[in-house]
Amino acid sequence: GTETLFHIDKEGYYFITVDVEKLTIASEYPESIYEKVWAIGNATPAGWTIMNAVKLKKINNIQFVYEGDLYEGELKFPLDLRGENNWNIPYLMPKTNDTEPGGDNTMEYVEDEKAVAHDYKWKITESQAGSYKIILDTYLMEITFEKIEIPDNLPIKAVWMTGDATATKWDTPFKIAFQYNPDEKEGTFVWEGHLDQGEIKFPLSN
């Protein structure tokens, strides 16, 4: 009843430094200079159609998340979309080309004037393909790949979506995959995104 508590004015991601010798505390609330981030590449549902790039969800003041399937192929992260066939846009790219999940986790900003000549991408091999949660920390400039494992006892282990209400219409193979969510009730698959007027259905095989 006599303790004094620290007060947090707004929620988010903080760096808090405590000096136990000087008995001081300092907090830093970092801000991201990036408003939006997308994913593009044949390792993603968007393929190499730039205007189909998958928008990442901003989960706090500095982090963005991608949740979905990754296929054998390559990917990078545009920071702007300027129309069909316009690849002269800024990106977040790996520092080494063909970096795989589990490799160097640092990334760098590449401005639009250098994006075509300096075209580095992350690489997903056939054995690495699967359902992923990717977190981009735009303050520390680090990327984390977390592969989601589906329990063996589930009778249904994958769910896709197709239809003219979706961005990929009725195209095959299906590119819009639901994400298995281990934090929800067992057997729960989740997808979040935009749907147009039209029809959808949910294939269980691809």
Side-chain angles (χ1 to χ4, degrees):
T2 60
E3 62 187 0
T4 301
L5 303 179
F6 297 97
H7 184 70
I8 302 300
D9 294 321
K10 56 182 178 179
E11 64 181 43
Y13 192 103
Y14 282 81
F15 293 100
I16 298 178
T17 304
V18 177
D19 189 319
V20 297
E21 293 184 349
K22 295 180 181 179
L23 296 180
T24 60
I25 184 169
S27 66
E28 179 184 0
Y29 185 83
E31 299 280 3
S32 174
I33 62 173
Y34 309 114
E35 295 291 332
K36 299 175 182 177
V37 181
W38 289 266
I40 190 70
N42 59 349
T44 76
W48 290 112
T49 303
I50 187 64
M51 296 308 292
N52 285 346
V54 181
K55 187 176 181 181
L56 274 65
K57 182 179 180 181
K58 191 172 185 179
I59 55 177
N60 56 46
N61 40 313
I62 61 173
Q63 293 178 325
F64 295 82
V65 64
Y66 168 92
E67 294 181 288
D69 273 8
L70 290 182
Y71 316 105
E72 180 182 5
E74 300 173 317
L75 74 153
K76 54 186 178 180
F77 298 95
L79 299 170
D80 193 7
L81 300 180
R82 299 175 182 171
E84 295 289 349
N85 301 318
N86 189 345
W87 296 93
N88 292 314
I89 51 181
Y91 294 89
L92 295 176
M93 294 182 178
K95 290 186 176 180
T96 304
N97 195 30
D98 289 338
T99 297
E100 298 180 13
D104 182 5
N105 71 331
T106 58
M107 58 186 183
E108 62 181 348
Y109 169 81
V110 179
E111 58 188 17
D112 46 5
E113 292 86 356
K114 300 179 180 179
V116 175
H118 183 89
D119 193 18
Y120 288 3
K121 309 176 190 74
W122 282 273
K123 179 181 179 181
I124 306 299
T125 66
E126 182 179 3
S127 63
Q128 292 168 336
S131 186
Y132 277 84
K133 179 177 183 179
I134 306 175
I135 295 180
L136 277 65
D137 188 315
T138 60
Y139 183 79
L140 298 177
M141 293 299 281
E142 295 178 348
I143 184 170
T144 303
F145 289 84
E146 178 186 347
K147 192 171 185 181
I148 307 299
E149 301 295 340
I150 310 298
D152 292 334
N153 64 331
L154 288 186
I156 295 174
K157 293 182 171 56
V159 181
W160 287 269
M161 179 165 59
T162 188
D164 55 13
T166 73
T168 56
K169 307 305 178 186
W170 296 105
D171 294 347
T172 57
F174 311 120
K175 290 292 188 179
I176 300 178
F178 279 65
Q179 181 82 359
Y180 180 69
N181 191 334
D183 297 329
E184 298 290 341
K185 181 180 178 181
E186 186 175 272
T188 300
F189 292 79
V190 178
W191 175 85
E192 293 184 35
H194 176 79
L195 290 176
D196 296 317
Q197 181 180 354
E199 298 177 318
I200 55 174
K201 59 182 178 181
F202 306 103
L204 304 179
S205 178
N206 203 0

